[in-house]
Amino acid sequence: MMEQVQLGAKTKVRASPARAEERVRPARGVEDAGGLNGKYEEATRRRAGGASGGTGSPRMEAPAVFTDAEVYQRDFDPREYLKEYYSLKQGRLDGILEQNLRSLFKIFSLDELRGDTLIDVGCGPTIYQVLSACERFQEIIALDYTDRNRQELEKWLRNEAGAFDWRPVVKYVCELEGDREKWAEKEEKLRKKVRQVLKCDVTKANPTDPVSLLPADCVLSTLCLEAASKDLPTFRSALRNIGALVKPGGHLVMVTVLREAYYAFNNQVFSCLRLERSEVEEAVESAGFDLTFSEVQPCLPGDVRYDCEAVLSLVARRRASLTG
């Protein structure tokens, strides 16, 4: 069912049932033949104790069957995801989060990245990815597949009690921009600029079907398509689908993990399509874009929560035509 939320509107947020899972449960119900539970629990204890998680850390395994959309709808808990990857740990933000915030700040400082409308595809329950972008665009439309992700985002947009506390992340971005104390002003600006929150499915030719959006000046997608695509043809098709949301001459901004097969939180493991830089860049170009910026940064090894080796950040400009 399509949900369209105007800023300031009221919706009822459905409470999710409490869960008391004590074991690691790969999405799709994969058996724990490889000792997944022990690996997760041992790694969690090591991280809690400040261990770096070096080469001796236990490794997890990707689910045997790629995590499909309905598993995300049923099992993906946005509150636990936010707690794991976006909360302060020992007074610091997650290292890969800080890296992505710096990359997005760099990208949205480029002269050509500005305009009226930005569409954030696969926003999840997060706002970090648009904190720099909100300074360059007048309107933001947020899209995500799962109901609970959109509801969690809406709670923050309406400044409701119990919404996730993004202040440490907002302050970090404000510090990158030169004034850490402007965090409250940035939060207010972002709340005003996110005008719609819509359901989307990147596997559809029109991801927001039955709603049709006007082509935007920029489409942003962070850590999305690789989790929504079971194979490279599906990834290439999804990229064409979201690329069609960009107006000719507009820009596509992507942050994509490379060589990752899984990520984990809340005693669950979710699939990820293992991608190479060349595969992503070729898919972007075949979708009708010309690359204008591309940068790869390595991930520190040894974090049992995921197995990515690097993160690719890129900007591409949509051609006037597919043959242009």
Side-chain angles (χ1 to χ4, degrees):
M1 181 170 133
M2 178 64 59
E3 293 187 19
Q4 181 167 337
V5 179
Q6 301 296 333
L7 191 65
K10 299 292 184 181
T11 60
K12 183 176 180 181
V13 179
R14 183 175 65 252
S16 57
R19 295 188 297 182
E21 297 173 338
E22 296 296 331
R23 307 284 288 171
V24 171
R25 181 167 61 85
R28 303 286 299 176
V30 179
E31 293 298 325
D32 184 39
L36 199 56
N37 298 293
K39 291 176 182 179
Y40 191 98
E41 292 161 3
E42 179 183 340
T44 301
R45 288 194 297 270
R46 287 171 61 87
R47 287 198 304 113
S52 62
T55 56
S57 296
R59 299 302 296 170
M60 301 175 75
E61 298 167 2
V65 178
F66 198 89
T67 311
D68 65 23
E70 291 313 307
V71 173
Y72 273 93
Q73 173 71 356
R74 184 185 69 234
D75 294 341
F76 190 92
D77 186 330
R79 293 296 297 191
E80 292 296 333
Y81 174 71
L82 293 172
K83 178 182 176 182
E84 182 65 45
Y85 287 105
Y86 300 96
S87 297
L88 289 175
K89 300 287 196 311
Q90 299 178 345
R92 293 207 57 175
L93 296 175
D94 190 87
I96 197 168
L97 171 59
E98 289 189 355
Q99 178 176 290
N100 289 341
L101 291 172
R102 291 192 298 270
S103 294
L104 289 164
F105 168 70
K106 180 177 181 179
I107 285 172
F108 285 105
S109 297
L110 298 172
D111 288 341
E112 62 267 29
L113 266 297
R114 63 175 71 245
D116 293 326
T117 304
L118 178 143
I119 299 175
D120 182 10
V121 177
C123 61
T126 66
I127 65 163
Y128 77 93
Q129 68 277 11
V130 288
L131 288 171
S132 293
C134 75
E135 303 294 336
R136 309 300 290 273
F137 294 88
Q138 301 307 307
E139 175 188 36
I140 296 172
I141 301 172
L143 310 180
D144 199 74
Y145 182 81
T146 81
D147 298 338
R148 285 196 290 171
N149 278 350
R150 297 194 310 278
Q151 290 164 356
E152 189 66 38
L153 174 59
E154 290 158 17
K155 286 176 67 175
W156 184 87
L157 291 172
R158 296 189 184 109
N159 204 14
E160 293 180 1
F164 185 73
D165 183 5
W166 284 100
R167 284 176 296 177
V169 177
V170 179
K171 289 178 180 179
Y172 184 88
V173 174
C174 287
E175 188 168 354
L176 291 176
E177 295 174 351
D179 191 346
R180 183 180 177 87
E181 299 308 313
K182 288 190 174 181
W183 63 269
E185 179 182 322
K186 180 177 281 289
E187 285 193 344
E188 182 63 20
K189 178 182 291 187
L190 182 56
R191 287 187 171 106
K192 289 179 178 178
K193 289 195 173 183
V194 178
R195 306 290 176 81
Q196 297 181 80
V197 179
L198 302 176
K199 184 176 179 66
C200 79
D201 183 344
V202 298
T203 66
K204 293 183 177 180
N206 173 16
T208 57
D209 182 63
V211 171
S212 294
L213 297 175
L214 293 174
D217 299 287
C218 181
V219 164
L220 167 68
S221 186
T222 59
L223 313 180
C224 170
L225 299 189
E226 60 270 40
S229 306
K230 64 181 180 179
D231 52 33
L232 188 56
T234 305
F235 178 83
R236 292 170 67 91
S237 176
L239 230 173
R240 288 193 297 271
N241 295 340
I242 71 167
L245 299 174
V246 183
K247 65 174 58 173
H251 291 85
L252 173 68
V253 175
M254 292 182 65
V255 177
T256 303
V257 290
L258 301 178
R259 299 182 180 178
E260 177 175 279
Y262 73 85
Y263 68 99
F265 67 95
N266 193 35
N267 296 331
Q268 287 184 284
V269 185
F270 293 85
S271 305
C272 194
L273 178 62
R274 187 177 173 88
L275 292 165
E276 300 290 341
R277 177 181 188 171
S278 60
E279 292 173 327
V280 178
E281 292 179 343
E282 288 168 6
V284 168
E285 291 175 340
S286 70
F289 291 82
D290 294 316
L291 288 166
T292 62
F293 173 89
S294 181
E295 181 178 75
V296 170
Q297 298 187 59
C299 296
L300 292 175
D303 194 325
V304 75
R305 299 172 301 168
Y306 48 79
D307 65 342
C308 74
E309 297 183 17
V311 179
L312 169 65
S313 303
L314 65 79
V315 180
R317 184 176 184 272
R318 189 177 183 191
R319 302 183 201 116
S321 67
L322 292 179
T323 58

